[in-house]
């Protein structure tokens, strides 16, 4: 901390008479107006002392507090902007969920590449922090879902070497702290009781001094001054062990917890009663949680100390609970019985709000990314409901929060929750058997089931750790569930899918080349052009040719590269692939056209037209799918081709044939309308404000201006090539719909000529089937069904005949040898039949009270042994002995086993030895 000590010596602190102190309990440095104060004021160094005695002059609801905050900063020169979704991967490819308001402006704005939507600005941003999941309900203050009220200012140093999208200083540390002080004072807070704790911030390669704002035991805000970047040669070594140096840009990044400010204004026992009053009351009533006056008084006293249960600050939550019980002069069991049901109730309310945010913003539960995190929260919520005795359907509970948050897709949210709850039940049934087996295994070892196994059980089967503990206890095994279990699970999935972290080194000559002029955006129908060869890079299998301008489209956005030729007066080279790196387009050719040459470029027009049809059709298909399946549907991936294309969609149910027909019909209606396909290059913020983040279905483009493609009512940011009018596509034919992973459906389709060819291929198959069946194409389904039913009936008849034959053999109709094995008779016989008939015959013989030893040479040498109940012969051992004599192996349980080997010529000898084998096994 001493590295940045001078950063905290603000003129504002000096002018206002603050004193810098060191907390004797935790060692943190803090600033205070109260010269008699000793501790920093934050739990566990202090308790909540506003419970029952609100710290603000007036009580506020969430909406009232949000408006008070935003209005205050509007009155102080900030522009209010609308919040972003909680799914940050809608506009960023490096994170999944929005965890702070600054996420809205990273990395393009904070790096200075693009300007902010306003400067300075204020916002109240919904956020989700999965790492807080294990604290929710326990500490009284943690919520996984919350709104971060904030004000931001984006600054650039006067001596900056580069140009940035904004310039100069708006304001910095002194004004930020002054605004916080003024806001607190306007709310009626006693500012002499506020402490500002020094706590340098690091994250995502950036760093800077930061101040935690503590009032009456509660952290109300964090003021971060992002001004440094990671640098191996940097002057400052910070708490993460890395070195940092100052950047040209420096950003005011504040975060004020809406829920905590609301709690401070009400002074309720926990934050949950302040922000979810109606839902907490409903859940308590539903779970029949009632307290006497004495119990209620004890719960309130415990609430003041609950900040000591933060898993980030204590090594053992239960040990901390013991300490609280001792302070309250009650037993830990008595305290736990009172507060744990309430903790579950609080967590349910918070988790339902989290789910409402996630599902309301279009996240679909799945096994990866944000979908996995949503599923994890949903399953934990269901388990909490079961634990505490809440019997209201989970979809109704989530809907309570969705209604309060004013989401319009509430029916879809409820449908998703119902579907997931049913999936969870099925998963638990399958996973329970795995837990029993694992518990028995570790019980034999005399070791507890380790955390890694618990996480794997949850990941693979959705089994909650307390359920594992219950099953393990019956098997005599121990389970030690870590306090931060769900945080550990979330860490496994809290990164985006497919993020590239390895960068390739470029050619030295390449760095000096200008960006290639992209002619394909000026006229997407044109395929011929002229250009100058700026440079050529030799590769092992050809050349990379750089032109000053090009009509060749480089691979990107799921669209393959164009192919064609480059010609000079002396040579024509084949363009086999086209790639783009840092704005420079590389034409990969089989020969060199010569550096400095004037070339004539010719794109393969037929290929380009098909790719344009398929790319535009991709926009149409996803638009039609959203109309049919719901607005939650979003693209999870796409690949365009010449013969066909595919698009992966996030959706919580299977796409059935009826859905496919509706999507196909709607898509072709758009084609037949022959509407114009247009492009525009608006300012990024203007585009996002008008169309939202559904713009980025195919990825997140950089830059201040982004290219938008308008197809019918669909608008997407897209860098691909497209037809001029939807009618140019010709037709769209959906070829297949399948689930590629849980929560992701793939639609494969063809457009234009490819659609006709694909349709004809299917028709050919239908006509061929009709010819084989000697019926018309229309009669094929009924005929095929009739043949299938007849085939099944004949199969049943064959099985019946086999069983009758087996019974006849067992009754003496066979020619097997009968031998005495102790007090039991054994039938040894060779029956050259399939294994089904062999098993049926063996079971029938065993049903007569005899041992069956049957062999077959129909497919190798095979044995089946069946033993009646109460006979001391192990069928598995007999089969093992016999199979070994024909060069193979086998086994099974004591009453029925099968096996065999390749040596059919030894089968009869093995059966001849069977009586001796039976007697040896019995004697053993």
């Amino acid at each position: 901390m001493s590295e940045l000590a001078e950063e905290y010596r603000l003129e504002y602190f000096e002018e206002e008479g603050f004193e810098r102190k060191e907390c004797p309990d935790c060692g943190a440095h803090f600033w205070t107006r109260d010269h008699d104060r000793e501790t920093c004021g934050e739990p566990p160094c202090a308790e909540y002392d506003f419970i029952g005695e609100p710290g603000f002059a007036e009580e506020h609801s969430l909406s009232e507090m949000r408006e008070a905050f935003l209005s205050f900063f509007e009155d102080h020169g900030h522009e209010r902007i609308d919040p972003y979704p909680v799914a940050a991967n809608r506009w960023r490819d490096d994170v999944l969920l929005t965890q702070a308001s600054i996420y809205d402006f990273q990395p393009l704005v904070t790096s200075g590449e693009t300007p902010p939507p306003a400067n300075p600005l204020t916002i109240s941003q919904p956020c989700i922090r999965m790492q807080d999941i294990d604290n929710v309900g326990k500490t009284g203050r943690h919520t996984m879902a919350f709104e971060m009220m904030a004000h931001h200012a984006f600054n650039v140093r006067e001596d900056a070497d580069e140009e940035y999208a904004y310039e100069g200083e708006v304001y910095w540390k002194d004004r930020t702290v002054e605004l916080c002080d003024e806001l607190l004072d306007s709310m009626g807070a006693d500012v002499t009781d506020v402490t500002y704790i020094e706590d340098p911030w690091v994250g995502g390669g950036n760093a800077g001094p930061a101040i935690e704002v503590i009032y009456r035991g509660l952290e109300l805000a964090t003021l971060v001054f992002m001004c440094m970047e990671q640098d191996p040669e940097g002057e400052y070594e910070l708490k993460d062990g890395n070195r940092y140096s100052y950047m040209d840009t420096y950003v005011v990044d504040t975060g004020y917890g809406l829920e905590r400010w609301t709690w401070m204004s009400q002074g309720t026992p926990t934050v949950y009663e302040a922000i979810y009053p109606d839902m907490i009351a409903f859940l308590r009533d539903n779970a029949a949680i009632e307290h006497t006056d004495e119990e209620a008084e004890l719960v309130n006293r415990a609430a003041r100390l609950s900040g000591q249960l933060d898993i980030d600050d204590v090594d053992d939550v239960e040990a901390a609970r013991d300490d609280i019980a001792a302070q309250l002069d009650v037993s830990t069991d008595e305290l736990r019985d009172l507060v744990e049901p309430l903790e579950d109730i609080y967590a349910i309310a918070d988790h339902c709000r989290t789910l409402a945010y996630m599902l309301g913003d279009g996240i679909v539960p799945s096994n990866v990314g944000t979908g996995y995190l949503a599923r994890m929260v949903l399953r934990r919520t269901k388990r909490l409901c079961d634990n505490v005795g809440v019997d209201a359907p989970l979809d109704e509970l989530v809907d309570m929060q969705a209604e309060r948050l004013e989401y319009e897709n509430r029916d879809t949210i409820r449908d998703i929750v119902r579907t997931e709850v049913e999936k969870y039940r099925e998963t638990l049934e399958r996973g329970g058997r795995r837990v029993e087996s694992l518990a028995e295994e570790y019980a034999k070892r005399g070791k507890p089931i380790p955390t890694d196994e618990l996480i794997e059980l949850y990941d693979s089967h959705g089994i909650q750790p307390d359920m594992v503990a219950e099953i393990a206890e019956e098997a005599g095994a121990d389970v030690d569930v870590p306090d931060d279990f769900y945080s550990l699970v979330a860490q496994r999935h809290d990164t985006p899918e497919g993020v590239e972290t390895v960068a390739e080194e470029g050619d030295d000559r390449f760095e000096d080349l200008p960006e290639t002029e992209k002619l394909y955006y000026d006229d997407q129908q044109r395929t011929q052009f002229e250009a100058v060869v700026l440079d050529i890079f030799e590769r092992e299998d050809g050349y990379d040719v750089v032109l000053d301008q090009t009509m060749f489209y480089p691979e990107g956005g799921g669209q393959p590269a164009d192919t064609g030729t480059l010609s000079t007066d002396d040579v024509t080279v084949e363009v086999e692939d086209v790639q783009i790196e840092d704005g420079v387009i590389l034409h990969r050719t089989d020969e060199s056209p010569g550096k400095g040459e004037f070339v004539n470029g010719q794109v393969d027009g037929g290929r380009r037209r098909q790719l344009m049809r398929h790319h535009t059709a991709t926009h149409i298909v996803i638009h039609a799918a959203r109309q049919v399946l719901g607005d939650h549907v979003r693209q999870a991936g796409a690949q365009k081709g010449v013969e066909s294309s595919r698009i992966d969609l996030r959706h919580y149910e299977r796409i059935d044939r009826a859905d496919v027909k509706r999507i196909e019909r709607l898509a072709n209606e758009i084609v037949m309308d022959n509407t114009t396909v247009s492009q525009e290059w608006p300012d990024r913020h203007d585009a996002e404000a008008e169309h939202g983040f559904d713009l980025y279905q195919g990825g997140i483009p950089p830059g201040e201006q982004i290219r938008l493609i308008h197809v019918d009512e669909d608008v997407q940011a897209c860098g691909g090539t497209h037809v001029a009018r939807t009618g140019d596509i010709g037709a769209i034919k959906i070829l297949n719909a399948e689930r590629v992973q849980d929560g992701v459906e793939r639609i494969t389709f063809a457009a234009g000529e490819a659609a006709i060819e694909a349709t004809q291929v299917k028709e050919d198959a239908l006509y061929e089937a009709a010819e084989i069946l000697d019926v018309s194409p229309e009669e094929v389904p009924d005929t095929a069904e009739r043949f299938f039913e007849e085939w099944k009936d004949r199969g049943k008849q064959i099985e019946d005949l086999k069983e009758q034959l087996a019974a006849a053999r067992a009754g003496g109709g066979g020619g097997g040898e009968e031998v005495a094995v102790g007090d039991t008779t054994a039938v040894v016989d060779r029956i050259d039949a399939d294994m089904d008939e062999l098993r049926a015959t063996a079971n029938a013989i065993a049903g007569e009270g005899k041992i069956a030893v049957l062999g077959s040479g129909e497919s190798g040498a095979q044995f089946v042994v069946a033993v009646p109940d109460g006979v001391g012969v192990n069928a598995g051992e007999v089969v093992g002995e016999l199979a070994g004599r024909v060069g193979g192996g086998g086994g099974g349980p004591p009453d029925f086993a099968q096996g065999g080997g390749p040596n059919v010529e030894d089968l009869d000898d093995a059966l001849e030895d069977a009586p001796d084998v039976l007697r040896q096994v019995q004697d053993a």
Side-chain angles (χ1 to χ4, degrees):
M1 289 189 180
S2 58
E3 289 276 5
L4 295 178
E6 289 303 312
E7 289 279 355
Y8 296 100
R9 296 193 178 280
L10 308 184
E11 290 183 9
Y12 182 75
F13 283 154
E14 185 176 338
E15 293 169 358
E16 291 293 314
F18 281 83
E19 180 181 352
R20 185 175 189 256
K21 293 191 172 189
E22 181 176 352
C23 179
D25 292 348
C26 68
H29 289 89
F30 63 95
W31 294 82
T32 177
R33 286 183 171 94
D34 182 0
H35 300 288
D36 295 327
R37 172 179 283 279
E38 295 183 359
T39 70
C40 64
E42 183 179 28
C45 305
E47 62 181 52
Y48 305 142
D49 68 1
F50 63 92
I51 293 176
E53 299 178 24
F56 294 155
E58 295 180 10
E59 180 179 303
H60 287 69
S61 65
L62 280 174
S63 58
E64 291 168 345
M65 183 60 73
R66 181 191 304 114
E67 183 56 37
F69 176 90
L70 295 173
S71 295
F72 173 87
F73 280 97
E74 279 186 313
D75 292 343
H76 288 76
H78 295 68
E79 182 175 333
R80 182 190 304 205
I81 67 168
D82 293 332
Y84 287 38
V86 295
N89 60 351
R90 298 271 295 281
W91 71 92
R92 295 177 59 172
D93 56 14
D94 57 336
V95 293
L96 293 178
L97 296 172
T98 308
Q99 297 190 37
S101 58
I102 196 65
Y103 275 43
D104 301 351
F105 315 110
Q106 292 173 319
L108 297 178
V109 176
T110 54
S111 67
E113 183 177 344
T114 62
N119 197 12
L121 61 83
T122 186
I123 188 173
S124 188
Q125 173 62 48
C127 300
I128 296 175
R129 286 189 180 172
M130 299 298 298
Q131 60 265 40
D132 288 337
I133 187 170
D134 294 290
N135 270 327
V136 173
K138 290 184 172 64
T139 65
R141 72 178 185 273
H142 279 94
T143 58
M144 186 164 51
F146 63 97
E147 282 189 45
M148 181 177 284
M149 304 185 297
H151 61 99
H152 297 285
F154 303 90
N155 310 293
V156 176
R157 301 187 189 282
E158 292 182 1
D159 57 354
D161 296 329
E162 302 178 27
E163 288 189 10
Y164 295 91
Y166 44 89
E167 60 183 16
E169 180 175 293
V170 180
Y171 61 80
W172 192 225
K173 291 181 291 187
D174 285 277
R175 179 56 177 161
T176 302
V177 176
E178 181 181 20
L179 285 167
C180 182
D181 245 11
E182 289 182 14
L183 175 63
L184 284 164
D185 185 60
S186 72
M187 300 299 297
D190 179 2
V191 293
T192 62
D193 202 12
V194 178
T195 58
Y196 291 93
I197 300 177
E198 300 176 5
D199 184 23
W201 171 84
V202 295
N206 292 119
I211 294 172
E212 293 179 353
V213 182
I214 312 298
Y215 178 51
R216 299 185 65 177
L218 185 63
E219 180 183 348
L220 289 179
T222 302
L223 315 177
V224 176
F225 305 101
M226 187 193 302
C227 59
M228 310 178 87
E229 61 187 348
Q230 200 167 314
D231 178 2
E233 307 300 323
E235 180 181 354
Y236 300 96
E237 181 177 345
L238 299 186
K239 59 185 179 181
D240 64 348
N242 294 311
R243 303 199 72 82
Y244 290 82
S245 58
Y246 286 102
M247 304 185 297
D248 287 343
T249 59
Y250 53 110
V251 178
V252 173
D253 171 21
T254 67
Y256 293 68
L258 169 63
E259 292 75 15
R260 295 187 183 184
W261 282 69
T262 302
W263 184 22
M264 179 62 69
S265 78
Q266 295 184 25
T268 53
T270 72
V271 69
Y272 314 108
E273 286 93 355
I275 62 177
Y276 311 127
D278 296 336
M279 190 165 194
I280 295 298
F282 172 83
L283 291 170
R284 289 186 62 155
D285 180 64
N286 186 275
I289 297 176
E290 297 180 358
H291 293 145
T292 64
D293 291 343
E294 183 179 347
E295 289 172 338
E297 194 273 334
L298 179 59
V299 167
N300 285 349
R301 288 167 57 207
R304 299 174 69 92
L305 303 171
S306 61
Q308 300 175 23
L309 297 177
D310 190 338
I311 61 171
D312 297 327
D313 296 331
V314 299
D315 296 328
D316 186 334
V317 170
E318 288 311 306
R321 200 187 295 277
D322 291 340
D323 293 339
I324 292 175
Q327 293 179 61
L328 298 174
D329 196 25
V330 297
S331 71
T332 302
D333 287 342
E334 182 182 354
L335 179 62
R336 185 183 292 109
D337 289 345
L338 277 176
V339 301
E340 282 194 345
L342 284 176
E343 290 173 354
D344 287 351
I345 290 294
Y346 298 150
I348 291 168
D350 169 79
H351 290 8
C352 286
R353 181 191 188 190
T354 302
L355 288 169
Y357 272 138
M358 287 179 147
L359 306 181
D361 273 354
I363 294 175
V364 175
S366 68
N367 288 331
V368 294
T370 53
Y372 180 90
L373 299 176
R375 175 168 288 169
M376 185 183 81
V377 175
L378 189 147
R379 291 180 172 181
R380 184 171 195 250
T381 310
K382 181 67 175 72
R383 181 62 176 170
L384 288 169
C385 288
D386 293 343
N387 282 349
V388 79
V390 171
D391 62 5
L394 185 55
D395 61 295
E396 291 185 11
L397 299 180
V398 175
D399 186 58
M400 288 183 186
Q401 295 287 14
E403 181 181 20
R404 188 177 66 82
L405 295 172
E406 299 181 350
Y407 279 113
E408 296 180 358
N409 59 337
R410 288 168 52 200
D411 289 343
T412 300
I413 292 173
R414 294 189 66 166
D415 198 21
I416 290 175
V417 174
R418 285 193 293 265
T419 301
E420 279 297 305
V421 168
E422 184 57 36
K423 287 181 181 178
Y424 185 32
R425 289 197 187 99
E426 295 170 359
T427 303
L428 290 181
E429 291 175 4
R430 294 192 301 268
R433 294 186 290 273
R434 168 63 181 150
V435 178
E436 291 172 2
S437 173
L438 194 69
E440 290 172 1
E441 176 187 338
Y442 278 93
K444 289 178 182 177
R445 295 187 198 176
K447 295 181 179 180
I449 299 176
T451 299
D452 286 347
E453 292 278 18
L454 293 178
I455 293 176
E456 188 60 36
L457 282 169
Y458 184 85
D459 251 0
S460 302
H461 303 287
I463 307 293
Q464 312 278 345
D466 57 337
M467 297 175 68
V468 178
E470 291 173 9
I471 297 172
E473 185 178 2
E474 295 177 5
D478 294 326
V479 175
D480 186 14
V481 182
D483 293 327
D484 60 346
F485 174 80
Y486 288 95
S487 298
L488 294 173
V489 173
Q491 286 173 17
R492 277 194 172 193
H493 301 268
D494 202 14
T495 54
E497 309 147 51
V499 173
E500 296 288 342
T501 57
V502 179
E504 298 180 1
E505 290 188 12
D507 192 291
D508 291 340
R509 297 177 300 166
F510 178 74
E511 296 178 359
D512 297 327
L513 290 170
E515 290 191 7
T516 309
E517 184 179 352
K518 302 176 180 67
L519 301 176
Y520 47 80
Y521 284 152
D522 297 333
D523 184 355
Q524 297 174 77
Q525 317 302 317
R526 182 177 154 201
T527 58
Q528 187 275 333
F529 68 100
E530 295 175 340
V532 175
V533 179
L534 298 182
D535 211 338
I536 297 176
F537 298 80
E538 188 170 359
R539 297 183 292 113
E540 289 184 7
D541 56 348
Y543 301 86
D544 281 343
V545 179
V546 179
L547 309 176
D548 64 334
Q549 58 183 8
T550 188
M551 286 299 305
F552 282 91
Y553 181 81
E555 180 182 13
Q559 179 173 327
D562 285 331
T563 59
T565 60
L566 296 176
S567 302
T568 68
D569 291 340
D570 301 320
V571 66
T572 295
V573 302
E574 295 290 331
V575 178
E576 300 165 342
D577 189 19
V578 187
Q579 299 292 323
I580 185 170
E581 295 184 25
D582 296 330
V584 177
I585 295 176
L586 309 175
H587 304 74
R588 297 191 164 167
T589 63
D590 58 343
E591 297 182 57
S592 170
K595 183 176 179 179
E597 289 289 334
F598 189 77
V599 296
N600 183 292
Q602 180 63 56
V603 176
D604 183 334
R607 175 184 169 85
R608 161 72 75 82
R609 281 190 293 275
Q610 267 303 99
L611 290 172
M612 289 164 59
R613 288 170 178 148
H614 274 120
H615 201 143
T616 309
T618 302
H619 288 229
I620 293 174
V621 169
I622 191 172
H623 176 64
R626 286 169 68 86
Q627 302 303 305
V628 171
L629 305 175
D631 288 338
H632 64 280
V633 169
R634 287 187 174 81
Q635 181 175 316
Q639 183 61 53
K640 294 85 179 177
V642 176
E643 301 301 327
S644 66
S645 294
R646 61 174 169 78
I647 185 166
D648 293 344
L649 305 174
R650 301 194 187 280
H651 182 50
Y652 58 93
E653 291 182 321
R654 296 299 306 271
I655 296 179
D656 60 23
R657 179 62 186 158
D659 294 329
V660 167
K661 291 169 68 175
R662 292 171 63 200
I663 293 169
E664 185 177 81
R665 186 178 297 112
L666 182 55
N668 280 289
E669 285 176 6
I670 296 172
V671 171
M672 289 184 289
D673 285 343
N674 197 28
T675 58
T676 301
V677 177
S678 62
Q679 64 174 336
E680 62 168 326
W681 293 83
D683 174 84
R684 171 183 223 95
H685 297 304
D686 292 343
E688 291 172 352
E690 182 176 356
H691 303 291
F693 295 98
D694 284 342
L695 286 174
Y696 305 133
Q697 295 285 338
I700 302 97
E704 291 186 39
Q705 275 72 43
I706 57 176
R707 181 175 183 250
L708 298 188
I709 297 296
H710 296 255
V711 184
D712 194 60
E713 297 179 358
D714 180 73
V715 184
Q716 293 186 39
C718 179
T721 56
H722 294 272
V723 298
R725 305 185 69 86
T726 59
D728 296 340
I729 294 172
I732 296 173
K733 180 62 183 174
I734 295 180
L735 308 178
N736 189 37
E738 61 181 332
R739 172 156 292 182
V740 292
Q741 67 184 49
D742 194 23
V744 178
E745 299 286 311
R746 173 170 293 170
I747 294 178
T748 304
F749 61 92
E753 295 172 2
I756 297 173
E757 291 173 5
T759 302
Q760 289 175 342
V761 168
K762 288 194 174 184
E763 285 181 344
D764 288 344
L766 175 62
Y767 277 96
E768 185 176 346
E771 186 175 347
I772 293 171
L773 296 172
D774 194 24
V775 296
S776 68
E778 292 78 12
E779 294 174 310
V780 167
D782 289 340
T783 305
E785 184 179 11
R786 176 166 53 82
F787 279 13
F788 179 68
E789 292 299 328
E790 290 175 358
W791 174 79
K792 284 198 302 182
D793 288 341
R794 287 175 183 172
K796 292 177 181 178
Q797 292 174 15
I798 291 170
E799 289 300 318
D800 290 342
L801 290 172
K802 284 182 179 181
E803 290 179 5
Q804 292 173 27
L805 179 59
R809 285 187 175 128
E817 176 189 4
E818 293 194 358
V819 297
V821 180
D823 297 331
T824 308
T825 298
V827 177
V828 180
D829 198 2
R830 173 169 176 165
I831 304 172
D832 287 329
D834 61 28
M835 286 299 289
D836 287 342
E837 187 172 337
L838 221 60
R839 284 191 289 263
T841 303
N843 283 325
I845 292 171
E848 296 289 330
K850 300 175 183 179
I851 301 170
V853 180
L854 306 181
S856 171
E858 185 172 281
S859 178
Q862 296 176 310
F863 300 98
V864 172
V865 176
V867 179
D869 292 340
V871 176
V873 172
N874 188 306
E877 293 180 13
V878 175
V879 165
E881 286 287 338
L882 297 177
R885 300 178 188 218
V886 293
D895 59 340
F896 189 90
Q898 63 188 52
N903 303 332
V904 179
E905 64 273 12
D906 297 326
L907 176 61
D908 289 332
D909 291 341
L911 288 171
E912 190 174 328
D913 294 340
D916 292 335
V917 172
L918 288 167
R919 295 184 185 103
Q920 289 170 10
V921 169
Q922 187 180 50
D923 293 341

